[in-house]
Amino acid sequence: MKNFIQLSAIILLLTACEDVLSPATENIRGLDAMYKEPGFAQGILGNAYILLPYSASPNTDVATDDAVSNNIDNNFLRMATGSWSAIDDPTSQWQGRKNAIQYLNIFLANADQVAWANDEVIRMLFNDRLKGEAYGLRALQMYHLLLAHGGWTQDGRLMGVSIVNDPETPTSDFNKPRNTFQECIDQIIADADRALELLPLDYKKFTDAEVPAKYANVEGLGATQYERVNGEHMRGRISGRIVEAIRAQVALLAASPAYSEGTNMTWEEAAGYAAQVLNRIGGVSGLAPNGGTWYTKDSGIEQLASGQTPAEIIWRSDIGQSLELERDNFPPSLFGNGRVNPTQNLVDAFPMINGYPISNPSSDYDPNNPYANRDPRLAKYIVLNESQQGPGSDVIITGTYGTKNDVINREKGFSTRTGYYLRKLLRSDVNPNGEFNTTQKHYTARIRYTEIFLAYAEAANEAWGPTGAGGNAYSAYDVIRAIRQRAGITGGDGYLESIKSDQILMRQMIRNERRLELCFENHRFRDIRRWKVSLNELNETARGIQVSKPGNTVIYTPINVESRNYQQHMFYGPIPYGEITKWSALQQNEGW
């Protein structure tokens, strides 16, 4: 994908004038130039890939109860503490998603006229696949617009954004009202369905029997021709499998409490869309054994071929050599800035190794030895006091008895504010020391199978209860049991067994498992809003732990770190203020 985008950019540069010495009028070419130049046409589609809405950093997590930032200038810190407005919205997706949709609309309006190849069969195959990509990407871009800007208006309607399916020009009417949320969901599903008609499930090697039936009567079309256009050299681009996962995400959003009263999406449908993705890997048996630590060296990242995905990943970014995440988040003694500080709130959400929440009398939790016998994910995801960032590194002491800047609140802008540092997403074999600057391979997990498993569990529990399967081969209970077994919960998981007939307690567990499994991957901010938790929960104070050691006694003292200041209307994001002032037909979400 990286090579494709770079090549497209070069082609656009080289074709920007008729020849080197005689530039075209104003050095601007008309869109009709794409008809004879497939590279030019693919460059337009490539812009929608460049504008994908994913982040490798846990930006929004520091605006939730899972983390804080030690950077006082952090936009999300300011948002969480009271500065979020329609003028100042760091979560806005308005411009980027709309730009991407405009490129996709231009591409779709012109793709049929592009000479993708001289051979008519190959031309048809290219046209089908590339249009399928465009439809799938448009569904994705619209989904992220709804996440950021869908909401209830003052007149009591659940609204989405304006649906635009044609290229806009200087003479277009930009003063368009918002479509309803349901109309936007319908549009996304329609785009996804159209994409699935045109895309291969995966880019791979094909046999003649695997060529889609719709091409059965096309003379001269066999596995060789189909693979030329849809072979594994195209891995990394959006595929049918990825579109199915996006559709499952959309259905879960629409069925969630914050939106369900304004849509007709049911929990049964949401579970069905997720099951369609999971059944392709054998259901629960397909849960990747090391899926919880997909970012580490031991996950097999070093062996991944171009565009190849491991068992846990449905879609990922390119792999690149970097150290930015580690430089941002390692403790100061390891040449990091310690930016993202996990909270005590999140630490307390990890159960004991026997599966019981630490608040349950059967958990055997010891507040004087709080990290003993805990869910193994706690130590895998968070650097605790007197633990190591990685094998062979120095012990990190965040307690007040430490001698380095790793100590809580020791040095403003570098030291932890909560008593914890981030481990998840980071590679311990990176060295940000300026003398070495040792980089390692990283990628962004855009969509993980674990996310879809948890989406299924949530929807299935609401539709059929903890152990109901609705005709599928597995239930919410089955999914959660498998995820917790993978995590290392031992002893038969007595707590899970005790609640498997209680829908409300199972709901709480599913939400907590989602919190743990997807922490620091930019899910929590939207999850607690689509669940429509209480305003008190939305504003739960971010807490930390101060560890002191007078003599030989270790004392753990909970501390309040950062208050949250969200208002009732902030379960939904705003339409940007500048757009509201420009276009009279646009209606703002209530409260903004």
Side-chain angles (χ1 to χ4, degrees):
M1 178 58 63
K2 183 187 297 181
N3 292 337
F4 156 67
I5 291 172
Q6 290 173 344
L7 178 60
S8 298
I10 292 170
I11 290 171
L12 287 171
L13 283 173
L14 294 179
T15 59
C17 56
E18 293 174 2
D19 60 47
V20 176
L21 299 178
S22 301
T25 304
E26 297 183 357
N27 211 33
I28 298 173
R29 310 181 71 210
L31 280 173
D32 56 354
M34 69 187 285
Y35 301 152
K36 295 183 179 180
E37 299 177 32
F40 186 5
Q42 287 205 56
I44 294 172
L45 179 62
N47 280 298
Y49 280 104
I50 293 171
L51 291 166
L52 285 172
Y54 300 104
S55 173
S57 301
N59 299 323
T60 60
D61 291 83
V62 301
T64 74
D65 51 356
D66 277 1
V68 300
S69 174
N70 66 9
N71 176 12
I72 61 173
D73 295 323
N74 182 283
N75 289 336
F76 294 96
L77 181 155
R78 292 189 295 104
M79 179 184 74
T81 53
S83 72
W84 194 11
S85 71
I87 297 175
D88 183 8
D89 179 13
T91 69
S92 178
Q93 296 291 313
W94 193 269
Q95 200 62 51
R97 298 319 110 229
K98 283 190 166 287
N99 286 351
I101 289 172
Q102 168 71 351
Y103 281 118
L104 293 165
N105 288 343
I106 291 172
F107 181 84
L108 287 168
N110 293 277
D112 289 343
Q113 301 177 68
V114 177
W116 298 111
N118 292 328
D119 184 293
E120 281 302 313
V121 170
I122 300 301
R123 180 186 183 281
M124 175 189 64
L125 290 174
F126 269 116
N127 195 44
D128 281 1
R129 194 206 75 215
L130 292 167
K131 285 173 66 177
E133 290 182 47
Y135 283 117
L137 290 168
R138 194 166 70 179
L140 169 67
Q141 302 288 353
M142 177 68 86
Y143 165 59
H144 283 270
L145 265 178
L146 289 188
L147 274 175
H149 302 290
W152 297 87
T153 56
Q154 192 168 3
D155 58 2
R157 294 186 299 160
L158 180 60
M159 303 301 288
V161 297
S162 305
I163 296 174
V164 179
N165 288 338
D166 297 309
E168 293 180 300
T169 70
T171 60
S172 295
D173 179 10
F174 295 95
N175 193 20
K176 296 179 178 178
R178 297 165 65 183
N179 287 84
T180 67
F181 197 90
Q182 180 61 55
E183 288 169 340
C184 292
I185 293 294
D186 291 342
Q187 176 63 47
I188 293 172
I189 299 298
D191 274 349
D193 290 346
R194 183 67 177 131
L196 293 172
E197 293 174 4
L198 297 169
L199 290 172
L201 180 67
D202 298 299
Y203 299 106
K204 64 183 189 70
K205 295 180 179 179
F206 292 90
T207 65
D208 285 338
E210 293 175 312
V211 175
K214 65 181 179 180
Y215 297 123
N217 296 323
V218 178
E219 185 177 352
L221 202 168
T224 300
Q225 290 75 21
Y226 191 74
E227 190 174 315
R228 173 180 167 184
V229 176
N230 299 291
E232 59 185 10
H233 57 291
M234 292 297 170
R235 291 183 306 196
R237 302 169 78 110
I238 194 166
S239 65
R241 188 184 298 269
I242 294 165
V243 171
E244 288 181 348
I246 294 167
R247 189 172 58 180
Q249 292 175 322
V250 172
L252 183 72
L253 178 73
S256 295
Y259 303 97
S260 59
E261 290 184 9
T263 76
N264 59 22
M265 185 69 70
T266 66
W267 285 117
E268 290 86 351
E269 290 175 304
Y273 283 130
Q276 187 170 357
V277 178
L278 302 177
N279 290 342
R280 294 192 183 280
I281 59 170
V284 172
S285 66
L287 186 71
N290 64 349
T293 51
W294 52 268
Y295 50 89
T296 65
K297 180 179 180 180
D298 294 338
S299 70
I301 187 174
E302 303 292 338
Q303 290 75 45
L304 289 177
S306 177
Q308 184 182 15
T309 55
E312 169 64 12
I313 305 299
I314 297 175
W315 199 19
R316 65 168 176 83
S317 68
D318 289 330
I319 294 176
Q321 292 279 148
S322 64
L323 50 68
E324 283 75 17
L325 273 174
E326 290 75 16
R327 179 178 286 149
D328 277 349
N329 294 294
F330 271 4
S333 66
L334 297 179
F335 304 93
N337 294 318
R339 288 293 183 232
V340 176
N341 307 154
T343 61
Q344 187 66 41
N345 315 54
L346 177 60
V347 170
D348 288 348
F350 287 88
M352 300 297 287
I353 198 166
N354 65 6
Y356 283 90
I358 64 171
S359 59
N360 190 292
S362 299
S363 68
D364 296 327
Y365 173 70
D366 181 0
N368 296 314
N369 191 14
Y371 311 130
N373 300 317
R374 296 292 292 276
D375 180 334
R377 289 174 294 189
L378 173 59
K380 289 179 180 178
Y381 295 165
I382 296 174
V383 176
L384 311 169
N385 183 53
E386 294 197 13
S387 68
Q388 296 169 283
Q389 184 74 47
S393 70
D394 292 339
V395 172
I396 305 300
I397 298 177
T398 64
T400 57
Y401 56 92
T403 59
K404 299 179 180 179
N405 285 339
D406 302 334
V407 171
I408 186 171
N409 291 321
R410 174 64 60 85
E411 185 176 356
K412 190 174 183 179
F414 293 94
S415 304
T416 176
R417 298 171 60 203
T418 63
Y420 301 105
Y421 290 99
L422 182 68
R423 190 190 310 279
K424 190 177 181 183
L425 306 180
L426 311 183
R427 289 194 53 164
S428 60
D429 47 351
V430 162
N431 187 354
N433 183 339
E435 293 185 17
F436 304 99
N437 285 328
T438 306
T439 63
Q440 295 294 349
K441 290 182 176 181
H442 296 76
Y443 65 82
T444 302
R446 293 169 179 162
I447 308 176
R448 294 171 52 197
Y449 273 109
T450 296
E451 179 196 344
I452 307 302
F453 272 110
L454 289 163
Y456 174 82
E458 181 178 339
N461 182 59
E462 301 298 334
W464 310 301
T467 57
N472 299 302
Y474 43 94
S475 64
Y477 161 79
D478 294 325
V479 167
I480 297 303
R481 180 178 61 178
I483 289 174
R484 284 162 68 91
Q485 285 178 346
R486 179 180 75 178
I489 301 298
T490 60
D493 202 347
Y495 183 67
L496 174 61
E497 294 303 317
S498 72
I499 68 166
K500 68 179 183 180
S501 59
D502 189 317
Q503 186 183 48
I504 294 175
L505 291 178
M506 181 61 78
R507 178 188 301 143
Q508 294 172 0
M509 176 176 281
I510 291 168
R511 291 181 178 183
N512 196 66
E513 284 299 312
R514 187 174 175 95
R515 180 182 191 176
L516 304 184
E517 284 286 332
L518 304 181
C519 64
F520 309 116
E521 296 182 47
N522 294 304
H523 287 279
R524 179 103 178 135
F525 184 85
R526 297 298 176 196
D527 280 344
I528 56 179
R529 284 166 169 78
R530 69 177 178 81
W531 290 330
K532 205 68 183 293
V533 300
S534 71
L535 187 59
N536 285 339
E537 289 178 86
L538 202 64
N539 280 320
E540 185 175 311
T541 298
R543 294 178 287 109
I545 196 78
Q546 182 170 287
V547 186
S548 56
K549 196 174 184 180
N552 294 321
T553 303
V554 180
I555 300 175
Y556 297 88
T557 305
I559 59 172
N560 290 336
V561 176
E562 189 173 287
S563 298
R564 298 292 188 237
N565 188 16
Y566 293 116
Q567 306 301 314
Q568 185 65 42
H569 62 275
M570 293 179 179
F571 284 94
Y572 310 93
I575 304 299
Y577 178 76
E579 299 300 312
I580 294 293
T581 57
K582 282 189 296 186
W583 313 117
S584 61
L586 272 182
Q587 189 176 8
Q588 182 61 279
N589 289 331
E590 184 177 12
W592 292 100

